[in-house]
Amino acid sequence: ITNLRANRNLFQDRLDNLKEYMGYRKVGKDLSNRIIRWFDYLWAQNHTFEEEDVLKYLPDKLQAEMAIHVHLATLKQVELFQNCESGFLIALVLKLKHQVYSPGDYVCRKGDIGREMFIVKQGMLQVTADDGRALATLSDGSYFGEISLLNVGKNGNRRTANVRSVGYSDLFCLRKEDLLHALNDYPEMREVLKEAA
């Protein structure tokens, strides 16, 4: 109970500091409300603000075990990685970064340089046309950005679509440099991934 109270106080202190900063910088009401709702969402979902800060006190081996425990099941759901060997998946899991997007936020836009792919842990996103029309819906276990990440197709590493969060969305991000690092240790996985993409 003491830890819960301390966490709540830390959360409230950060939120109060942010509100003060937004007031000082004369941030508009719409943006201020979006930011406050984002903080409220994080608290309601029991997310920590700096997962890396919390885990950095653990030895490397325990950090790795924690990451595998928390993220491996999500990675295994992704069709792109279903034929990959477990050592490669573990190498990727250790590099996944958690990101939260608010309703209406664009995760990426068509034509942007793609330096990462995303896996939907929880939430709903829409792939949209340039005029805003919804073309497809992505939900838990879906992934996108793999084309830019793997340089498959004529656009190289340019994004081929707009992706916008419908509600709050929890995503895992895998950066291109982290994938390439893992592929150095598992070069045979490059073809497996290209075939799956």
Side-chain angles (χ1 to χ4, degrees), residues 26-85:
K26 298 179 179 21
V27 174
K29 189 172 184 163
D30 181 53
L31 179 57
S32 293
N33 287 337
R34 285 181 54 217
I35 291 170
I36 291 167
R37 284 193 307 269
W38 181 82
F39 269 84
D40 287 341
Y41 172 80
L42 283 182
W43 180 257
Q45 296 299 316
N46 291 322
H47 291 113
T48 59
F49 290 103
E50 292 98 10
E51 183 175 315
E52 292 173 2
D53 283 348
V54 171
L55 298 177
K56 74 181 178 184
Y57 299 107
L58 296 175
D60 291 344
K61 177 135 177 60
L62 287 178
Q63 284 184 31
E65 287 183 41
M66 180 64 92
I68 290 165
H69 173 77
V70 172
H71 306 309
L72 187 59
T74 300
L75 195 59
K76 283 182 175 180
Q77 290 177 0
V78 176
E79 186 179 330
L80 180 68
F81 298 118
Q82 287 181 349
N83 292 324
C84 293
E85 63 182 83

Side-chain angles (χ1 to χ4, degrees), residues 56-129:
K56 74 181 178 184
Y57 299 107
L58 296 175
D60 291 344
K61 177 135 177 60
L62 287 178
Q63 284 184 31
E65 287 183 41
M66 180 64 92
I68 290 165
H69 173 77
V70 172
H71 306 309
L72 187 59
T74 300
L75 195 59
K76 283 182 175 180
Q77 290 177 0
V78 176
E79 186 179 330
L80 180 68
F81 298 118
Q82 287 181 349
N83 292 324
C84 293
E85 63 182 83
S86 62
F88 179 68
L89 292 178
I90 289 170
L92 294 181
V93 160
L94 298 176
K95 300 298 183 183
L96 291 177
K97 301 292 182 208
H98 179 249
Q99 297 179 352
V100 176
Y101 289 86
S102 298
D105 284 352
Y106 278 89
V107 179
C108 61
R109 293 183 185 265
K110 184 177 178 180
D112 288 350
I113 302 283
R115 294 184 176 93
E116 63 274 316
M117 73 171 288
F118 298 92
I119 302 164
V120 182
K121 178 171 175 60
Q122 181 180 349
M124 186 182 306
L125 301 103
Q126 288 181 330
V127 178
T128 63

Side-chain angles (χ1 to χ4, degrees), residues 144-174:
F144 59 95
E146 76 285 356
I147 294 171
S148 294
L149 198 67
L150 299 171
N151 288 331
V152 176
K154 63 181 179 176
N155 292 328
N157 65 342
R158 295 279 182 180
R159 298 286 185 204
T160 59
N162 302 308
V163 179
R164 182 180 61 219
S165 182
V166 174
Y168 285 98
S169 299
D170 293 356
L171 307 180
F172 286 125
C173 174
L174 177 62

